[in-house]
Amino acid sequence: MSYISSGVEYALHCLLYLSQPINAKGVSVRDLAELQNIPIDYLAKIFTKLHKAGIVIATEGIKGGFSLAKTADQISVHDVIVAIDNYKPLFKCKEIRSGCAVFDKKIPAEATQGTCTIHAIMLDAEQQLRDTLSQQSLADIAQKVTKKLPKDYPQQVIKWLDHRTINRQPNNK
């Protein structure tokens, strides 16, 4: 089992689309799902969590959809992880040190005082991970991703989304 779910990956990819100025008006979950070949029902549940966490806002109507509730530089990767997966500790100490057979159930108090040494290392690693994820914003990711994409990619996405919006309007059914 991975520490960070695939739902977080889906959320981050979708939020990258929403972080582009071209998508300020909002994009539907259906369009985001179909654009990326993500299951629509699963993505709808993810967006419910993102909405509850205050990461996205929803507008209703034919041209409605989701947009970012904050600027991309105000949304950290950690924010998205917590919104989708809730807070999960990286490590759960089983206090194995208190069951050592050598002590024949008479464990010296000093052996189990304070935080388990192994747990302390894991807590430190978890804090470093959370700090790193908190320092990386959606804007940081978008900047890195943009460098990898063809220059006309944003226009291709706009064209694809606009085509879908036009086809959803009542007079085009």
Side-chain angles (χ1 to χ4, degrees):
M1 182 173 114
S2 63
Y3 171 71
I4 299 172
S5 74
S6 59
V8 171
E9 181 180 8
Y10 290 161
L12 286 168
H13 277 280
C14 290
L15 292 172
L16 284 174
Y17 283 103
L18 297 183
S19 73
Q20 302 306 307
I22 56 169
N23 294 323
K25 63 183 178 189
V27 180
S28 75
V29 169
R30 176 176 298 283
D31 287 346
L32 286 168
E34 291 180 7
L35 177 66
Q36 301 174 91
N37 293 310
I38 298 171
I40 296 169
D41 292 341
Y42 185 50
L43 193 58
K45 291 175 186 174
I46 289 169
F47 267 81
T48 298
K49 291 177 180 183
L50 292 170
H51 186 262
K52 285 181 182 177
I55 294 173
V56 296
I57 55 174
T59 54
E60 295 186 24
I62 291 175
K63 293 187 178 186
F66 285 94
S67 56
L68 296 181
K70 310 172 192 178
T71 60
D73 64 328
Q74 295 175 314
I75 301 169
S76 74
V77 173
H78 187 262
D79 294 337
V80 177
I81 292 169
V82 171
I84 303 303
D85 289 345
N86 298 315
Y87 176 84
K88 291 190 293 193
L90 184 62
F91 177 80
K92 184 170 179 155
C93 185
K94 303 289 187 192
E95 283 296 331
I96 293 172
R97 65 187 176 156
S98 64
C100 181
V102 170
F103 299 121
D104 193 31
K105 298 184 182 180
K106 297 175 191 155
I107 289 106
E110 345 28 274
T112 57
Q113 269 183 331
T115 304
C116 167
T117 305
I118 294 169
H119 191 191
I121 292 168
M122 298 300 182
L123 288 171
D124 182 53
E126 179 179 339
Q127 188 58 54
Q128 289 180 47
L129 173 65
R130 290 185 187 283
D131 289 346
T132 298
L133 295 170
S134 293
Q135 293 168 7
Q136 293 296 309
S137 73
L138 191 56
D140 296 329
I141 297 171
Q143 183 180 28
K144 292 172 187 171
V145 168
T146 301
K147 290 179 182 178
K148 293 182 170 187
L149 296 171
K151 297 270 187 232
D152 67 339
Y153 183 75
Q155 288 75 26
Q156 291 175 11
V157 172
I158 293 169
K159 187 176 178 180
W160 190 89
L161 290 170
D162 284 347
H163 177 72
R164 297 196 38 90
T165 301
I166 290 167
N167 288 335
R168 272 199 318 265
Q169 291 179 0
N171 60 354
N172 290 326
K173 286 188 176 181

